[in-house]
Structures are given as C-alpha cells and as structure tokens.
Amino acid sequence: MAHKKGQGSVRNGRDSVSKRLGVKRYGGELVSAGSILIRQRGTKFIAGKNVGTGRDWTLFALVDGKVAFDKDSRRVNILAEAASAVS
C-alpha cells in the first residue's frame, strides 16, 4: 500500500524571463551612433531628431551626441556634437 498521498498537478510554478525593458541612456549622457536608448513595448517614448525606431520599438541613436528629452519627457532626441569636439 502506498504511503504517500496522490500529488495532483499544480497550476502555478511557471514564470517568463524578464525582458530588461526601460530607459538605457538618460538625458545629458553622451552616446555614440547605434547606441540603444530605450527598450520598450509599443510607443511609450517616441523618436525625435537623430533617433531611429527598431522593429520591436527600440529607440537608438543615429548620430554621436547628447541625449535630450522633450514633450513631457516622451520624445527622445540626440543633439549632435560638433565634429571638432569628437576628434
């Protein structure tokens, strides 16, 4: 005779891996072209000047420069640095 009660299946115990979304570069930071600025789902933030949008809504820098937010911190721009400052 078994001495253990039957162990029914449980419905919880599964969890997805976190996606590491959010702001990666903040206002005033210097970034290089191609740097990821924000990882997001949907358009919580929108791309401004010198910022591109990836197919998963990731925002990235198109030029070297400084990150700047406007439109109630919802639009991200890159203020291009002068060529002499970079060299």
Side-chain angles (χ1 to χ4, degrees):
M1 184 169 4
H3 287 88
K4 286 195 172 198
K5 290 183 89 172
Q7 303 295 312
S9 64
V10 293
R11 292 187 181 182
N12 53 3
R14 294 172 302 282
D15 201 1
S16 61
V17 179
S18 63
K19 303 300 181 203
R20 275 77 170 184
L21 303 176
V23 178
K24 307 299 179 187
R25 294 285 181 261
Y26 296 94
E29 285 192 54
L30 286 172
V31 294
S32 56
S35 296
I36 291 175
L37 306 174
I38 298 175
R39 288 226 181 248
Q40 61 183 350
R41 292 292 168 261
T43 54
K44 183 177 169 103
F45 295 90
I46 57 173
K49 207 170 182 78
N50 298 320
V51 175
T53 305
R55 59 188 193 133
D56 64 349
W57 303 107
T58 294
L59 300 183
F60 58 92
L62 296 174
V63 297
D64 295 351
K66 196 176 280 192
V67 179
F69 287 84
D70 64 358
K71 286 244 182 171
D72 276 339
S73 300
R74 293 272 316 248
R75 184 169 61 184
V76 189
N77 302 293
I78 299 296
L79 307 176
E81 292 290 305
S84 59
V86 175
S87 336

